[in-house]
Amino acid sequence: MRNPNRLLDMTHDGEIWLSMCGSEDSSFWNPEMHDVGRCFQAVMLQTPTLAVLATVSAYQWGKSRGLQTWTGAGAAARVPASLLLALLGPSRLLAARILQPQPLSELLAAGTGLVAWAAHAGCAAAGPPNALVLTPIVAQLILVIMSTRSSVLSDDGRLVWDVATLISLSVYILSLILYFRRYRHRPRRQSCRHCQVPESEASERTPLTGSSTGETVWYGGFHEDDDPAYLGTASEGANPLSRLLFLWVSPLIDKGSHGRLKSTDDLFDLPSSLSPALLGANLRNALSDGASLMRALHRQFGVVFYSVGILKLAADVCGFAGPLLLNGLVKYVETGDENRPSEGYVYALGLCLSTLCGALFSTHFTYLVALVGLQLRGALISMVYRKAMSVPGPALSSFSTGEVVNFMSTDTDRVVNACASFHAFWSIPLQVAVTLYLLYIQLGLSFLAGVAVTVLLIPVNKLLANKIGVLSSRLMASKDRRVQLLAEALAGIRTLKVLVWEDYFLSLINKVRSEEVKYLRGRKFLDALCVFFWAATPVLMSVLTFGTFALLGGKLTASTVFTGVALLQMLIAPLNAFPWVLNGIAEAWVSIGRLEKLMRLEDLDPDHYYSKMPTDSGKIVLQLTNASFSWSSTLSVLKNINITIKKGQLVGVCGHIGSGKSSLLAAIVADLELQSGSISLTDPKTAVFGLVAQSPWLQRGSVRDNILFGRPYEQAKYRRVVEACCLDGDLQQLSAGDQTDVGEAGAALSGGQKVRIALSRAVYQDMDIYLFDDILAAVDVPVAAHIFQHCVLGLLQGKTRILCTHHVHYLTSADAVVVLAQGGRVSSFGSPDEVMSELDAQEFKKEESEVLPIDSMGDTGDTKDLTVMSQNEEHTIEEEERETGAVAWNVYASYWKAVGHFLAVAVLLSVTGMQTSRNLTDCWLGYWVTQASNNNVSTDQDQNFYLTVYGSLAASNLIFTLARAYLFAWGGIQAAVIIHRRLLNIIIRAKVSFFDTTPLGRILNRFSSDTYAVDDSLPFILNILLAQVFSLLGTLAVTLYGLPWLVLVVVPLVPIYYRLQATYRLSARELKRLSSITLSPVYSHFSESLAGRTTVRALGGISRFCEENDRHLEASQKCQLAARAAEQWMGLRLQLVGVAVVGGVGLAAVVQRQLGTADAGLVGLAISYALSATGVLGGVANAFAETEREMVAVERVLQYVQSVEKESQGGEQPPYGWPAQGVVSFNDVVLRYREDVVASLQGVSFETRPGEKLGVVGRTGAGKSSLLAALFRLTDPSSGRITIDRVNTASLCLSTLRSRLAAIPQDPWLFSGTVHENLDPEGRHSPAELETALRRVGLWGAVRALGGPAADVGPGGKKLSTGQRQLLCLARAVLRAAKVVCVDEATAHVDAETDRAIQCALRNAFQQSTVICIAHRPHAVADFDRVIVMGGGKVLELDSPDALLKDEKSHFYQLVGPQLQMRFS
């Protein structure tokens, strides 16, 4: 009769139970001990409870915000107790197996306990467990007590282990009790940041950081010390374990996951080794002895850079151990001795340990390489900035602005990215060589068939790499041209809109972009070919290797085949990466060559450029002796200049347009090339000057910041300077006073205000020598007189002053006068009495009549350019928008649409087919091996069948791989073209208000860094993401199919994996956004500095500007460092998850071997796939996070595409021949720039007469420029009606309206191109018409000397003087022959003779046109038929100058005084 206590009859299931429990203890109830049987305890009680503990602990661990430090009574005992409990079961089992074999129930319980308590150790390190974890722990305590009781009764040798387990578990629970007691009574921490120690409780003996009782004492110190969220310096003070496991990064991840990464202050501080200033200084020292840039970088970073290669080598060695241990494990599963099961566990443990070591080595290698890359980036950007600011102007002019900006952005990034590529360059061949050797060991000479494929592809890939390098160089050149064109277009966007040249510039930029895309397309398709070759190589090698092995009679065993499969899979990553490595190195080499050209430029050496004044020179402070200067080695602008200037003298410089007045000042400040002769100073080492350029340069910031220019604020001195420069009245009108933001390049100010702020800045610096370049031309006459009297002759009395001016009447007060003739020669130099006799007496008389003393002209400034907003508009530079949270799905949807629905679906299908065919190929190989092991492949026909199917699956994989590579390249290019086109269209056609509130550098960042990401980085990483995701799915499917027991390991790891990647993504995307935001100031400051480099250098501000650049760079570096550290924090943890998978695979394989259910073919296939799980898991998470970060570039582009408001392009077409008479009518027009500001025009009404010349005068902020802004619809009126020849302009097509009007702005704008292109870019006029227009404005001679209409004017028209640029703008209006012409003081920057020529041209060329002119000069007002006097946004008066001057109470009389009366009399 059968024992009723037996669980099962001796059926098949009963046999399984006996094999698990053993024959001694397979019953449910043990009557001898009056307790449940040990097998039942192990299988049905302990194992499920431990499984619950493992799952809940893994969940809690994954849910926690990273590893933290928990302190308090008993807290330090929890992790050691958990680890001890994890080791007790396996150690008892190993000790027992030495004496006798143990049943599988014990193995199962011990293995589950190891996983459960190991997971719980991580949970305990992350914080106190909750009730979900306590439940299985208490259950375990009860079960251990039961097991201990059984050990006491049976006395079977397990008592010691059970007692140890009971003690450890009791200690653990006791530590929890103590913790919760302490937690319950813990005092709340003070919330204030600077809580001082009360005087009654503190003394000079009181410790700063604590009291004698051990309680925390708060003290007032540095803000960072009291801020609980302050992270400190990166990795500073971290212990070895924290550095090893990147635990020091956990607080950063915690802040990011809670949404507390708002600014760079929330990040780690940079260690001194990453200080941009220090790195830049070291690189300059390395370059100082004439070393090449490559040698200097090698000298500075070589030791550290090459040393980290040891970690790479160690990681590779650990990687090679995997296939070798796999071979031993599969052999054990296939033919192992059942009496030696420990052999299998040794192999499984070895797999786990080698994977763990490889994870640690590779993670730290990647992080250290990233640190070296950050050092390179800091050194190069700092060096590029300083070099660009330090070299002479002629030398830097060999590069365009776009090229110099790309030196700092794209070229630097390519050099940094090459750091990892270099180590991969030597590591990949090593990996391939060792792998091929191991293949030879496994498969003999059959591996040569696969090697032949690699050898044949080497020259092909070399050819492709060379071609990619050539295309990259051309791509960068095209990108430089595009950025340069765009920068010039944005700099003159208002003029561009008034001229209706948007379509021309769109076509011009799109043409350059098409050329850029052509090279991008060629490079991407070559990249796709590289990807195909290198992805196809492992498949071809596998087919040829195993096919050859089988045909040569080799036996396909599981250990041989799947060791070979694992080795071939090791080839996939390096072979796929190698083309990118070659590409990266080629691009870096090109970029280093480009940077080398900049670094080879000689810095300005004052001792070389200037000569030291002889000791017997007396009071002479500046002397030019036979000095000739040029902008380049071939184009001389000043010849044989001989000038001597003494200390305290006022020297005037005059001459016709193009005679070289501005060039003379540029020569003095060393912004020209000294060809011959000498220029001497008292002390060349301190060659600084108070320079005020003709086109004043202002830095973004407040008015006060621009005036102080880094100097300390001294109230009395500051007030004297402001009053002397006639700026006090303007500051009173500004709502924020001198704290008003001047905007991008002073966009919020009028031309005169910019000049006076620049003058105040120079005066406040208290220099010995001052250089003024026509500073009186942009201001009204009384203001000019005030500045000359109170500043030039007053506050600066005793200083050496050189004044270039067209207003020769000021020269009578000078000590000496220099007259320059055409060709850059000095025609006269002497006292005013001597020189003035040579000047035109009539001209002098006219000029003198214009500056008779006036009590008050009222306008302390002048009007703005017609394209600049009214003074009533509060100019505010908006902070750059920053999205928060996850990248919105509409961003992904927009990119999907840009790629195209059909193309996107085709890409997904090709990737799916590629991965499916790859997995089926390997599965078929496993099936083939299984059949061969069972002797089912006995004939050549059977073998040919298996080989044919195997080859067919591999061929389908190659087809899908090729399709995926090319479809993805095509899709990425398609998206890049569409996104850039949409961005360009929206920006060029945006309303002017957008440019008033958005810095130019911020916009250019969208077209440089963000566009580069969309063009190149995003498609690259998105391709990797799709491949990794499908690879992970295939790996899991094949592994779980081969080892179903692995699900016990995978299930607890899923919540950990999910939580890790979710937590990391929250931080990663915020870090990416911060990186983008902190990068914009670097570019903006660089562009701003390039525009004002002459002024900055003359004022001695290069060092301060370099420090400011280093501060911006440091903020960007902090973001980069935090992002790299977070990446490795995540990468290590994901690789540890992979380690757990590998360990689980090894354990599952041994257990299934013990149970007799292991299929050697499937097990080998599963293990070979599992070895790649570590890389795949990390690859998916990193690729997903990186894709999200790169998708931020699309997000930033979409911010502009979706939020920037475009100008309305619709409307009616006017009647034929409109306008015929040019009658402009304003009817109760109200205009405001924003809803929250006062209207700039308040009910303005007036009407012109046909062909009338109408002047507009008024104080600053009166609304003069707003009239023209409303007429050109730069800003649409809020109400009212504007008509031209009775046609409402609001109903017309905007481009048509502007094309029928002409405008001449105060600040001339030219772009890189020929004279012809700047006059008539659309080619609507004949060469004869161009010549006629140039002759009518008196510019034909200068253009012919330059080389004719086909001559290049240089970037921004640098080859022409400011006056010549203004004349060219006048010629544009002459060519247009419009019936309505708007002029904003076009004669501000020309001499008297040219002024008369312009006035004559205005009268003659526009006899039949209505001319509306904002007038600054009284003599210009006298030529008008009528005058509008504006005030407070209203028309105060409208009448002829004669009529208004007869009424002494009129506003017009108050503005111009008796000057015009005298003129008319």
Side-chain angles (χ1 to χ4, degrees):
M1 189 176 198
R2 292 181 181 175
N3 188 342
N5 291 325
R6 292 289 180 180
L7 294 175
L8 298 169
D9 292 334
M10 297 303 295
T11 58
H12 176 69
D13 292 337
E15 293 176 357
I16 294 177
W17 182 261
L18 283 175
S19 65
M20 181 173 291
C21 297
S23 60
E24 298 297 330
D25 192 15
S26 59
S27 60
F28 167 76
W29 184 259
N30 190 329
E32 297 178 0
M33 294 183 292
H34 303 283
D35 197 358
V36 294
R38 279 197 174 275
C39 182
F40 186 84
Q41 286 187 38
V43 177
M44 305 304 293
L45 297 179
Q46 289 189 14
T47 300
T49 307
L50 290 169
V52 172
L53 177 63
T55 303
V56 176
S57 298
Y59 173 77
Q60 288 297 116
W61 189 7
K63 185 179 179 181
S64 66
R65 306 287 183 172
L67 294 180
Q68 305 172 23
T69 302
W70 294 83
T71 60
R78 286 195 297 276
V79 175
S82 299
L83 295 175
L84 182 60
L85 286 167
L87 297 175
L88 280 175
S91 60
R92 182 193 64 79
L93 196 62
L94 290 175
R97 289 189 68 86
I98 296 175
L99 301 176
Q100 59 181 357
Q102 297 294 306
L104 289 179
S105 60
E106 299 292 342
L107 294 174
L108 181 62
T112 310
L114 175 63
V115 174
W117 287 110
H120 190 68
C123 177
N130 58 17
L132 289 175
V133 183
L134 292 177
T135 301
I137 291 176
V138 173
Q140 273 297 302
L141 178 62
I142 297 172
L143 292 173
V144 171
I145 293 173
M146 293 171 57
S147 178
T148 305
R149 176 180 176 276
S150 299
S151 299
V152 172
L153 295 175
S154 61
D155 192 21
D156 57 358
R158 289 178 288 191
L159 179 60
V160 176
W161 305 100
D162 287 340
V163 170
T165 303
L166 180 60
I167 293 174
S168 300
L169 193 56
S170 301
V171 169
Y172 183 90
I173 294 178
L174 179 62
S175 70
L176 291 180
I177 296 173
L178 293 174
Y179 174 80
F180 285 119
R181 284 188 60 190
R182 181 176 181 271
Y183 182 82
R184 180 180 178 183
H185 300 289
R186 185 176 60 184
R188 295 175 62 87
R189 183 177 181 178
Q190 300 181 51
S191 59
C192 62
R193 286 188 173 182
H194 298 282
C195 300
Q196 300 289 341
V197 180
E199 293 182 2
S200 60
E201 300 178 11
S203 69
E204 58 183 280
R205 294 181 179 272
T206 303
L208 289 177
T209 58
S211 68
S212 59
T213 61
E215 295 294 326
T216 302
V217 176
W218 296 87
Y219 68 98
F222 294 106
H223 169 79
E224 293 85 353
D225 296 333
D226 292 333
D227 186 0
Y230 176 60
L231 298 179
T233 303
S235 73
E236 185 177 66
N239 57 52
L241 181 63
S242 178
R243 291 176 182 270
L244 180 67
L245 300 180
F246 288 93
L247 301 182
W248 59 271
V249 187
S250 297
L252 173 69
I253 303 297
D254 180 69
K255 290 181 72 172
S257 62
H258 285 88
R260 297 201 301 267
L261 295 181
K262 302 298 184 183
S263 68
T264 56
D265 292 335
D266 299 318
L267 306 178
F268 292 111
D269 290 337
L270 289 180
S272 58
S273 61
L274 290 177
S275 169
L278 180 61
L279 292 168
N282 291 339
L283 183 57
R284 289 194 300 275
N285 292 334
L287 287 167
S288 60
D289 59 355
S292 65
L293 178 60
M294 179 66 77
R295 183 178 294 275
L297 294 175
H298 173 85
R299 184 182 303 168
Q300 184 174 353
F301 306 107
V303 175
V304 177
F305 179 65
Y306 298 130
S307 297
V308 297
I310 299 174
L311 293 176
K312 179 64 175 173
L313 180 62
D316 292 343
V317 171
C318 291
F320 297 137
L324 298 178
L325 293 168
L326 164 67
N327 183 266
L329 184 57
V330 174
K331 280 185 178 180
Y332 168 76
V333 173
E334 195 172 24
T335 61
D337 186 357
E338 295 183 1
N339 295 324
R340 297 180 59 191
S342 58
E343 181 182 354
Y345 292 107
V346 169
Y347 286 124
L349 181 62
L351 271 175
C352 186
L353 291 177
S354 64
T355 310
L356 174 62
C357 293
L360 292 172
F361 286 134
S362 63
T363 303
H364 282 275
F365 162 76
T366 305
Y367 178 67
L368 291 176
V369 167
L371 287 184
V372 176
L374 287 177
Q375 290 178 322
L376 270 173
R377 180 174 183 262
L380 287 175
I381 291 181
S382 180
M383 186 65 186
V384 167
Y385 182 90
R386 185 175 291 271
K387 176 63 71 171
M389 296 296 290
S390 302
V391 299
L396 192 64
S397 63
S398 59
F399 303 104
S400 66
T401 303
E403 283 182 296
V404 179
V405 172
N406 279 334
F407 288 152
M408 177 177 281
S409 57
T410 306
D411 290 308
T412 299
D413 288 342
R414 286 180 169 180
V415 175
V416 170
N417 294 335
C419 291
S421 298
F422 171 82
H423 285 291
F425 183 71
W426 64 260
S427 174
I428 288 177
L430 175 64
Q431 293 179 51
V432 172
V434 174
T435 303
L436 293 178
Y437 173 75
L438 295 177
L439 281 171
Y440 169 73
I441 298 298
Q442 294 294 319
L443 300 170
L445 293 177
S446 301
F447 88 99
L448 291 176
V451 173
V453 177
T454 306
V455 173
L456 291 175
L457 287 177
I458 289 177
V460 175
N461 282 283
K462 184 178 183 303
L463 179 64
L464 291 176
N466 292 338
K467 187 63 176 178
I468 288 172
V470 173
L471 290 176
S472 296
S473 299
R474 296 176 180 175
L475 177 67
M476 288 303 302
S478 297
K479 181 180 179 180
D480 290 341
R481 289 196 297 273
R482 175 176 60 83
V483 174
Q484 173 68 20
L485 270 176
L486 191 62
E488 290 183 335
L490 294 178
I493 189 66
R494 296 167 181 81
T495 305
L496 184 146
K497 288 181 175 296
V498 167
L499 294 173
V500 203
W501 285 357
E502 295 102 318
D503 289 335
Y504 170 75
F505 267 87
L506 281 173
S507 63
L508 187 62
I509 296 173
N510 281 326
K511 180 180 179 181
V512 178
R513 173 66 174 173
S514 297
E515 183 181 8
E516 181 183 358
V517 170
K518 180 181 72 173
Y519 297 129
L520 178 66
R521 181 181 292 109
R523 205 191 75 175
K524 284 294 182 182
F525 283 151
L526 289 179
D527 287 343
L529 196 58
C530 288
V531 169
F532 167 71
F533 281 143
W534 291 101
T537 298
V539 178
L540 291 173
M541 290 178 66
S542 179
V543 172
L544 294 175
T545 299
F546 292 126
T548 304
F549 183 75
L551 292 175
L552 291 178
K555 184 177 181 181
L556 295 176
T557 62
S559 59
T560 300
V561 169
F562 291 109
T563 300
V565 168
L567 291 170
L568 291 173
Q569 282 190 331
M570 286 184 63
L571 291 176
I572 295 177
L575 291 181
N576 280 337
F578 202 61
W580 305 108
V581 168
L582 295 177
N583 187 27
I585 292 177
E587 289 180 343
W589 186 257
V590 171
S591 294
I592 286 179
R594 287 161 51 88
L595 290 169
E596 182 80 30
K597 293 179 181 178
L598 178 66
M599 300 304 176
R600 289 303 99 200
L601 298 179
E602 292 292 336
D603 289 350
L604 176 64
D605 184 2
D607 290 330
H608 177 75
Y609 186 86
Y610 299 104
S611 301
K612 186 173 178 60
M613 198 73 68
T615 55
D616 57 350
S617 58
K619 293 185 177 181
I620 299 176
V621 295
L622 177 63
Q623 186 173 41
L624 286 82
T625 306
N626 294 324
S628 297
F629 302 91
S630 67
W631 286 106
S632 63
S633 58
T634 58
L635 183 61
S636 297
V637 292
L638 295 173
K639 300 177 181 177
N640 300 323
I641 305 296
N642 289 278
I643 299 175
T644 301
I645 300 175
K646 296 181 180 180
K647 182 178 180 180
Q649 278 191 327
L650 170 61
V651 178
V653 180
C654 62
H656 294 292
I657 286 181
S659 60
K661 298 183 295 298
S662 297
S663 297
L664 177 61
L665 300 188
I668 294 175
V669 299
D671 208 35
L672 290 183
E673 181 178 336
L674 178 61
Q675 289 186 313
S676 61
S678 65
I679 174 171
S680 303
L681 291 175
T682 304
D683 186 5
K685 293 184 180 297
T686 58
V688 290
F689 307 89
L691 173 67
V692 183
Q694 188 175 28
S695 297
W697 169 83
L698 296 182
Q699 188 180 9
R700 180 186 172 186
S702 68
V703 173
R704 177 181 291 188
D705 290 339
N706 274 276
I707 294 176
L708 298 181
F709 201 65
R711 294 291 180 94
Y713 175 71
E714 300 176 26
Q715 185 175 7
K717 177 182 178 182
Y718 183 83
R719 183 176 295 277
R720 289 196 305 271
V721 170
V722 168
E723 290 176 352
C725 296
C726 199
L727 197 59
D728 48 345
D730 297 84
L731 298 182
Q732 293 174 5
Q733 293 183 12
L734 299 173
S735 62
D738 63 358
Q739 297 299 324
T740 301
D741 195 309
V742 303
E744 181 84 9
L749 306 171
S750 66
Q753 288 171 331
K754 288 188 282 187
V755 167
R756 282 176 283 135
I757 291 175
L759 176 62
S760 300
R761 175 181 61 199
V763 174
Y764 193 86
Q765 305 310 302
D766 196 19
M767 301 292 185
D768 294 328
I769 301 177
Y770 284 88
L771 309 175
F772 302 132
D773 192 359
D774 208 9
I775 60 174
L776 305 176
V779 296
D780 293 313
V781 173
V783 177
H786 177 97
I787 291 174
F788 187 77
Q789 188 68 34
H790 293 87
C791 181
V792 178
L793 298 181
L795 193 61
L796 297 180
Q797 186 177 13
K799 303 285 187 180
T800 303
R801 295 142 294 166
I802 301 177
L803 173 66
C804 294
T805 182
H806 297 299
H807 305 285
V808 295
H809 53 272
Y810 291 115
L811 303 182
T812 56
S813 302
D815 298 302
V817 176
V818 177
V819 179
L820 292 175
Q822 293 293 339
R825 299 178 182 273
V826 176
S827 62
S828 300
F829 175 55
S831 65
D833 294 336
E834 297 171 351
V835 174
M836 287 299 181
S837 60
E838 301 180 15
L839 298 179
D840 184 6
Q842 191 65 30
E843 173 183 306
F844 176 71
K845 181 178 180 180
K846 175 186 175 184
E847 292 284 350
E848 186 177 31
S849 70
E850 295 176 5
V851 291
L852 293 175
I854 317 172
D855 291 338
S856 174
M857 189 172 176
D859 190 359
T860 60
D862 57 299
T863 54
K864 293 184 177 185
D865 189 311
L866 68 90
T867 58
V868 181
M869 62 185 131
S870 167
Q871 190 70 36
N872 287 335
E873 180 187 0
E874 288 298 325
H875 184 91
T876 303
I877 296 293
E878 298 178 353
E879 291 298 323
E880 186 165 9
E881 293 184 14
R882 174 179 174 269
E883 300 289 344
T884 58
V887 176
W889 281 107
N890 71 303
V891 177
Y892 294 95
S894 298
Y895 191 78
W896 175 283
K897 292 177 183 177
V899 173
H901 297 296
F902 173 79
L903 197 54
V905 171
V907 169
L908 290 178
L909 290 177
S910 64
V911 175
T912 303
M914 181 188 72
Q915 188 60 44
T916 302
S917 60
R918 179 61 191 273
N919 293 140
L920 287 176
T921 302
D922 292 335
C923 288
W924 181 259
L925 183 60
Y927 177 71
W928 184 4
V929 169
T930 301
Q931 295 302 312
S933 300
N934 296 332
N935 296 320
N936 292 330
V937 184
S938 57
T939 64
D940 291 341
Q941 185 176 1
D942 294 335
Q943 183 166 279
N944 290 337
F945 167 73
Y946 287 105
L947 189 57
T948 301
V949 174
Y950 185 54
S952 300
L953 291 173
S956 65
N957 177 259
L958 296 180
I959 294 173
F960 283 119
T961 301
L962 182 62
R964 165 228 171 183
Y966 273 93
L967 287 174
F968 219 106
W970 185 12
I973 294 169
Q974 187 78 5
V977 170
I978 291 176
I979 290 175
H980 181 272
R981 184 186 302 140
R982 292 175 62 191
L983 177 63
L984 181 63
N985 287 337
I986 198 72
I987 293 300
I988 294 296
R989 300 191 184 281
K991 289 189 173 182
V992 171
S993 58
F994 167 73
F995 302 98
D996 293 333
T997 57
T998 308
L1000 177 61
R1002 189 182 300 172
I1003 301 174
L1004 286 178
N1005 198 11
R1006 297 298 199 279
F1007 286 95
S1008 56
S1009 293
D1010 291 329
T1011 297
Y1012 176 77
V1014 175
D1015 288 354
D1016 196 18
S1017 305
L1018 179 59
F1020 172 71
I1021 195 63
L1022 193 57
N1023 194 357
I1024 293 177
L1025 174 64
L1026 286 180
Q1028 293 280 16
V1029 168
F1030 280 86
S1031 178
L1032 176 61
L1033 295 176
T1035 298
L1036 289 177
V1038 172
T1039 304
L1040 292 176
Y1041 176 70
L1043 292 172
W1045 279 62
L1046 187 62
V1047 72
L1048 296 176
V1049 177
V1050 171
V1051 170
L1053 292 177
V1054 169
I1056 296 177
Y1057 180 74
Y1058 173 78
R1059 191 62 194 180
L1060 279 173
Q1061 62 87 24
T1063 302
Y1064 169 69
R1065 282 172 48 217
L1066 293 172
S1067 300
R1069 58 172 170 252
E1070 297 307 316
L1071 290 173
K1072 175 62 177 179
R1073 285 166 177 153
L1074 282 176
S1075 297
S1076 299
I1077 289 173
T1078 54
L1079 192 61
S1080 292
V1082 176
Y1083 292 146
S1084 297
H1085 182 253
F1086 188 39
S1087 301
E1088 188 176 63
S1089 301
L1090 287 176
R1093 56 187 298 276
T1094 301
T1095 300
V1096 173
R1097 189 171 61 201
L1099 294 174
I1102 288 183
S1103 297
R1104 185 174 65 84
F1105 270 65
C1106 289
E1107 291 174 1
E1108 187 173 346
N1109 173 69
D1110 289 339
R1111 285 196 298 272
H1112 291 309
L1113 180 57
E1114 184 171 343
S1116 178
Q1117 291 281 81
K1118 287 176 68 175
C1119 296
Q1120 296 292 332
L1121 174 62
R1124 301 293 86 78
E1127 285 174 4
Q1128 300 318 308
W1129 180 92
M1130 177 63 172
L1132 178 59
R1133 278 145 185 78
L1134 290 180
Q1135 291 194 64
L1136 292 179
V1137 172
V1139 171
V1141 171
V1142 172
V1145 167
L1147 182 62
V1150 177
V1151 170
Q1152 286 195 200
R1153 174 67 179 84
Q1154 294 293 316
L1155 295 177
T1157 59
D1159 184 322
L1162 291 178
V1163 168
L1165 180 61
I1167 296 176
S1168 65
Y1169 265 76
L1171 285 176
S1172 64
T1174 302
V1176 173
L1177 286 171
V1180 169
N1182 288 330
F1184 191 81
E1186 188 64 29
T1187 299
E1188 196 169 36
R1189 287 201 297 267
E1190 296 297 339
M1191 195 62 71
V1192 171
V1194 181
E1195 179 185 65
R1196 285 162 55 82
V1197 170
L1198 288 180
Q1199 282 179 351
Y1200 281 179
V1201 172
Q1202 296 173 356
S1203 64
V1204 175
E1205 191 175 358
K1206 292 175 61 176
E1207 291 182 320
S1208 175
Q1209 299 299 317
E1212 303 173 356
Q1213 292 297 322
Y1216 178 78
W1218 177 91
Q1221 296 181 319
V1223 177
V1224 179
S1225 175
F1226 277 62
N1227 184 13
D1228 199 23
V1229 173
V1230 176
L1231 182 142
R1232 65 177 76 244
Y1233 291 95
R1234 291 202 311 268
E1235 293 298 327
D1236 57 341
V1237 298
V1238 179
S1240 299
L1241 297 180
Q1242 302 180 20
V1244 172
S1245 298
F1246 68 88
E1247 183 174 289
T1248 66
R1249 300 163 183 164
E1252 182 180 28
K1253 307 301 181 285
L1254 183 68
V1256 181
V1257 297
R1259 302 175 188 272
T1260 298
K1264 305 184 294 294
S1265 294
S1266 296
L1267 288 177
L1268 304 187
L1271 183 61
F1272 281 88
R1273 284 175 55 190
L1274 294 174
T1275 301
D1276 291 321
S1278 304
S1279 62
R1281 177 185 176 93
I1282 302 175
T1283 63
I1284 300 178
D1285 287 358
R1286 308 302 176 189
V1287 175
N1288 188 356
T1289 59
S1291 64
L1292 297 178
C1293 173
L1294 187 59
S1295 59
T1296 303
L1297 168 66
R1298 292 174 179 171
S1299 66
R1300 304 296 174 88
L1301 309 177
I1304 306 172
Q1306 178 180 346
D1307 293 326
W1309 171 75
L1310 303 180
F1311 59 92
S1312 298
T1314 64
V1315 174
H1316 188 168
E1317 290 170 341
N1318 275 274
L1319 275 176
D1320 181 30
E1322 296 170 325
R1324 296 181 178 180
H1325 302 278
S1326 66
E1329 292 174 316
L1330 296 181
E1331 181 178 344
T1332 300
L1334 291 171
R1335 288 184 181 277
R1336 294 181 72 173
V1337 299
L1339 195 59
W1340 175 249
V1343 170
R1344 187 171 55 186
L1346 191 65
D1352 186 72
V1353 299
K1358 290 182 64 174
K1359 294 184 179 180
L1360 299 174
S1361 69
T1362 304
Q1364 289 171 333
R1365 286 178 237 161
Q1366 187 64 76
L1367 291 175
L1368 196 61
C1369 292
L1370 177 62
R1372 290 173 182 163
V1374 172
L1375 274 177
R1376 183 164 288 193
K1379 278 293 182 179
V1380 178
V1381 180
C1382 299
V1383 184
D1384 188 7
E1385 190 49 61
T1387 61
H1389 301 293
V1390 297
D1391 56 20
E1393 181 181 349
T1394 307
D1395 185 4
R1396 290 196 296 271
I1398 291 179
Q1399 297 298 335
C1400 180
L1402 288 174
R1403 287 191 295 270
N1404 297 331
F1406 305 118
Q1407 288 182 354
Q1408 306 300 319
S1409 302
T1410 298
V1411 178
I1412 301 176
C1413 180
I1414 296 177
H1416 297 179
R1417 297 182 179 182
H1419 79 273
V1421 179
D1423 294 331
F1424 296 136
D1425 299 321
R1426 289 192 298 168
V1427 175
I1428 291 179
V1429 181
M1430 296 290 297
K1434 299 178 181 179
V1435 175
L1436 301 180
E1437 295 169 343
L1438 173 59
D1439 210 334
S1440 67
D1442 292 336
L1444 293 174
L1445 284 174
K1446 291 178 182 178
D1447 184 4
E1448 294 184 2
K1449 296 182 180 180
S1450 68
H1451 294 281
F1452 184 69
Y1453 187 90
Q1454 298 298 324
L1455 284 172
V1456 301
Q1459 292 187 81
L1460 290 181
Q1461 279 190 328
M1462 293 184 61
R1463 179 179 176 83
F1464 290 131
S1465 63

